[in-house]
Amino acid sequence: MKKRIFFLAFVLISLVSCTKYEIIFDKEANEDFELSLILNLNGIDCAYDAATNTLRYSASQAELSNFEPRVVFQDYTEVTFGGVELTNYSKNSLGSLQLNKRYPIEFETKEKATTLYLEFTSVPVVQIVTLDLVHKEEKILGKLTVHYPEKRFPDLTTFVGVEYRGKSSLALPKKSYGIKPLSSANLEDVKKVSFFGYRPNDKWSFDALYNDPSKIRNKLSYEVWKSMNHPSIESNYVEVFINNESQGIFRLGEVYTQSKLQLAQGSRLYKGLDNSKFTKFTDYSQRLPRSAIWADWEQEFPDPKTEISWNSFQEFAKLVVKGSNQEFTLSINQQLDLQQVIDYYLFVQLCYAKDNVGKNWFYLKQSANSPFQILLWDVDATWGRDENGSNVSHRLLVENGLFDRLIQLNPDNAKAKIKTRWTELRNNQFSTSQLFLLIDNELSAIENHGVIQKETAIWGQTLNLRNEQTYLNNWLSNRLNFLDDYFNNL
């Protein structure tokens, strides 16, 4: 009997001594959409990028002054930072640290030692954990967590449906994402959430910014448009991780939804899908609309699953394209909010948004009796760059059938209103100094987040923000001079 007990004890000791305590840093998520614990600071898991062996933690510089976080890591691991072994489940003094600096941090088990790098960033960190590959056809289930560097916004964890978004941009190596927040692990259980204190919404976008060498053009456009007192898209920069892989910098932004626009019964919303003769108002489709799509336009509201409603927009499109000169002149300001559309016309001329007068624009009728307004959307091919990031001449004009008829027929003295409004804007929102300041502020924000080097490492892009600022400012100066001459002689 004693021999048997001794033998069992020997086996148990042998098994324990042979157990491999090893951290698999890049382990797949479990069924609860949880990644392996590597390092947790103050209740927040550091995001891990396997390609660079880097841990990222979102913090303000003030928080890093005499940083003393509560540290948690795996039980069978010894962790050393700055030559000092850290105490698990305890507050540890890490000293005064700096943003955007790489700090070696060593993880040692009985099997081996591994050196990772801990980095602190002022950009909010978004981690999306999925069990399947993201694709375009339909949303897959995931879990999203966002941590902000400043605690005025509450951190958020929620289930999400996630998919690729875009059309031609899907061919690019870095993809944009669309998400819808969920109350549970059910893709139909949609809810509204808020990021950065914005209005709660049930759809959000992550813009990849891939072809923009400045990374600011979309957000810059929305900021200028908002300064003109028009409904715009609120957005901010974040770093996105998909599981254990950093995707680089993104623009997290609102999406036009019923909630965002406060749409009600009688509201109508239509989106241009392509730069076609129909969406540019140079031709009119005689085909009767019977579904959510008509003549390269898409009905966004009301929900086409419950109601197909094209009468008001079909009547408007027919007036613009087929109406006689007299009909157009007498009726267009009843169908269209002319002053708002003049602002849109001047804005797209300012930044040469040639991709936003066919596709990438919405027509909104807030109520049954209100005229249509235009909403700005996806404004990345602007400010001297096209959709491929190539240089664009400053001497080009944005044209389509609607704008052409407004200029040619001059309803309600539109040309004088265009000239007057241009002068007003040039003395305010479109002044050279104001625009240069906005550009510098946006570029400084990107620069301070310290993500450009990561963007280069991940996607192989050679980026120089200050060189791009020089190009942008020169293009804009020439553009403003060109447009001043054009509108003065209109």
Side-chain angles (χ1 to χ4, degrees):
M1 184 67 179
K2 289 183 178 179
K3 288 184 178 180
R4 186 177 179 185
I5 293 174
F6 177 80
F7 175 75
L8 290 173
F10 175 78
V11 171
L12 288 172
I13 292 170
S14 298
L15 287 173
V16 171
S17 63
C18 291
T19 301
K20 290 190 175 182
Y21 294 104
E22 180 180 356
I23 304 177
I24 302 175
F25 295 101
D26 193 17
K27 189 176 181 179
E28 292 184 358
N30 62 26
E31 291 184 356
D32 293 323
F33 295 85
E34 296 172 338
L35 298 170
S36 296
L37 168 66
I38 300 176
L39 184 68
N40 181 292
L41 303 177
N42 287 332
I44 297 171
D45 284 344
C46 296
Y48 175 60
D49 179 41
T52 59
N53 273 344
T54 300
L55 296 165
R56 296 276 279 178
Y57 180 88
S58 186
S60 66
Q61 186 60 64
E63 182 184 0
L64 296 179
S65 177
N66 193 25
F67 190 42
E68 295 184 340
R70 184 176 187 272
V71 178
V72 178
F73 46 86
Q74 294 184 15
D75 288 332
Y76 50 82
T77 309
E78 294 179 356
V79 179
T80 303
F81 182 85
V84 177
E85 184 176 331
L86 303 184
T87 304
N88 207 2
Y89 303 106
S90 300
K91 182 180 288 189
N92 288 256
S93 178
L94 304 187
S96 292
L97 307 175
Q98 297 296 316
L99 291 169
N100 307 322
K101 183 176 178 180
R102 286 169 64 82
Y103 292 96
I105 182 167
E106 295 180 358
F107 293 78
E108 185 173 355
T109 67
K110 291 181 179 180
E111 295 298 321
K112 67 174 184 178
T114 303
T115 299
L116 303 185
Y117 295 91
L118 177 59
E119 296 180 347
F120 300 92
T121 177
S122 61
V123 68
V125 171
V126 174
Q127 186 154 48
I128 302 174
V129 179
T130 68
L131 305 182
D132 303 299
L133 294 176
V134 182
H135 47 79
K136 172 62 179 176
E137 285 72 23
E138 60 182 350
K139 289 181 172 66
I140 66 165
L141 185 63
K143 183 177 279 188
L144 178 148
T145 301
V146 57
H147 298 297
Y148 298 94
E150 298 178 353
K151 304 314 174 188
R152 59 195 178 105
F153 304 121
D155 290 345
L156 172 70
T157 297
T158 180
F159 282 107
V160 291
V162 56
E163 66 180 345
Y164 291 140
R165 64 172 294 270
K167 193 173 179 181
S168 58
S169 62
L170 290 175
L172 300 174
K174 184 182 180 185
K175 305 292 191 290
S176 295
Y177 299 93
I179 66 160
K180 61 177 182 180
L182 306 171
S183 294
S184 66
N186 180 344
L187 286 169
E188 302 304 318
D189 194 9
V190 181
K191 69 175 181 179
K192 299 174 185 176
V193 301
S194 171
F195 296 100
F196 295 99
Y198 304 145
R199 177 188 295 275
N201 206 351
D202 55 10
K203 288 184 181 179
W204 297 86
S205 69
F206 290 87
D207 179 13
L209 311 172
Y210 183 78
N211 273 340
D212 179 3
S214 74
K215 308 302 177 188
I216 71 168
R217 282 178 166 81
N218 230 325
K219 187 171 184 298
L220 171 67
S221 298
Y222 289 130
E223 294 299 325
V224 174
W225 183 240
K226 182 171 65 175
S227 75
M228 298 164 67
N229 297 316
H230 296 299
S232 190
I233 292 293
E234 298 285 4
S235 59
N236 222 318
Y237 303 112
V238 297
E239 182 178 0
V240 173
F241 287 73
I242 303 293
N243 295 333
N244 289 318
E245 185 176 2
S246 174
Q247 305 296 306
I249 190 168
F250 285 73
R251 182 189 59 85
L252 168 60
E254 295 178 304
V255 175
Y256 291 125
T257 63
Q258 180 178 358
S259 176
K260 159 69 177 172
L261 297 173
Q262 298 180 289
L263 304 180
Q265 187 175 4
S267 300
R268 297 292 182 265
L269 183 66
Y270 306 93
K271 178 186 178 184
L273 296 177
D274 206 351
N275 287 317
S276 74
K277 59 186 179 181
F278 301 120
T279 59
K280 285 181 170 289
F281 296 109
T282 58
D283 200 358
Y284 174 78
S285 175
Q286 299 292 341
R287 181 177 62 83
L288 293 177
R290 301 184 185 278
S291 68
I293 308 296
W294 174 70
D296 296 324
W297 293 95
E298 181 175 14
Q299 177 184 313
E300 294 280 336
F301 189 86
D303 187 344
K305 293 178 182 177
T306 59
E307 180 184 358
I308 300 298
S309 180
W310 286 96
N311 289 346
S312 59
F313 190 78
Q314 191 181 16
E315 180 184 351
F316 164 69
K318 188 173 184 179
L319 172 66
V320 173
V321 178
K322 293 292 187 181
S324 68
N325 290 348
Q326 184 179 19
E327 289 171 333
F328 183 89
T329 302
L330 292 176
S331 302
I332 191 61
N333 60 358
Q334 300 168 20
Q335 297 268 11
L336 205 60
D337 184 337
L338 198 56
Q339 191 58 57
Q340 194 269 349
V341 172
I342 285 173
D343 273 10
Y344 189 86
Y345 171 75
L346 294 175
F347 173 82
V348 297
Q349 299 298 354
L350 169 72
C351 60
Y352 188 63
K354 70 178 181 64
D355 239 10
N356 297 85
V357 293
K359 67 174 184 177
N360 294 335
W361 61 346
F362 288 79
Y363 274 78
L364 168 66
K365 179 185 279 286
Q366 196 72 52
S367 68
N369 297 321
S370 61
F372 279 107
Q373 296 185 0
I374 303 177
L375 302 181
L376 192 66
W377 182 247
D378 265 1
V379 218
D380 51 347
T382 48
W383 307 99
R385 300 282 186 190
D386 65 13
E387 62 276 11
N388 298 314
S390 301
N391 296 9
V392 171
S393 169
H394 66 273
R395 300 185 61 82
L396 301 173
L397 291 174
V398 179
E399 299 176 322
N400 65 15
L402 171 62
F403 294 158
D404 290 348
R405 293 202 84 180
L406 287 174
I407 299 297
Q408 292 166 5
L409 300 179
N410 195 30
D412 201 23
N413 207 18
K415 287 168 66 173
K417 291 181 177 180
I418 288 172
K419 294 175 70 171
T420 299
R421 182 60 172 155
W422 176 257
T423 301
E424 291 175 354
L425 291 169
R426 284 290 282 124
N427 290 325
N428 294 282
Q429 295 94 328
F430 289 6
S431 70
T432 304
S433 59
Q434 179 66 19
L435 292 170
F436 279 12
L437 179 61
L438 278 174
I439 290 168
D440 188 67
N441 287 342
E442 294 297 329
L443 286 170
S444 294
I446 297 282
E447 206 168 44
N448 292 339
H449 290 326
V451 292
I452 289 300
Q453 295 84 353
K454 288 199 164 295
E455 199 76 9
T456 300
I458 297 168
W459 303 109
Q461 293 183 301
T462 302
L463 301 170
N464 188 313
L465 293 184
R466 294 308 167 182
N467 283 353
E468 182 63 16
Q469 182 175 18
T470 299
Y471 168 77
L472 213 165
N473 286 351
N474 288 340
W475 182 89
L476 184 55
S477 294
N478 292 327
R479 180 71 176 168
L480 290 169
N481 289 334
F482 168 74
L483 291 176
D484 284 341
D485 289 341
Y486 173 76
F487 289 120
N488 285 337
N489 294 299
L490 190 64

